[in-house]
Amino acid sequence: MIVNGEKTAWKPGLTVRELLEQRSCRTDRVAVEKNGEIVPKKDYPTEEILEEDQIEIVTFVGGG
């Protein structure tokens, strides 16, 4: 799979939530796009990632 433009190790059955946990991402502070489509947060625990998928993880940063 490709995550944020980089080829990344993949394992069968990997979910969006597991990927975020591996990367120490807080689910309340990110948006995830899979193959050009936004993944709803409610689907993170069940949305499986396939080896050929392209994932973009965008982190929200506060500031003023």
Side-chain angles (χ1 to χ4, degrees):
M1 78 181 148
I2 306 284
V3 179
N4 291 351
E6 295 182 13
K7 185 131 178 88
T8 303
W10 168 85
K11 67 173 184 160
L14 181 70
T15 65
V16 169
R17 183 178 189 164
E18 291 169 334
L19 175 64
L20 294 174
E21 288 172 353
Q22 287 176 3
R23 293 174 163 256
S24 300
C25 296
R26 290 179 46 186
T27 57
D28 63 331
R29 299 238 175 204
V30 298
V32 177
E33 183 181 276
K34 177 180 165 188
N35 301 322
E37 304 224 356
I38 297 292
V39 178
K41 289 187 186 298
K42 68 177 180 62
D43 293 342
Y44 287 4
T46 57
E47 183 74 28
E48 282 194 34
I49 299 171
L50 303 176
E51 187 174 16
E52 64 273 8
D53 286 338
Q54 293 194 24
I55 306 295
E56 293 293 325
I57 301 171
V58 179
T59 304
F60 301 110
V61 179

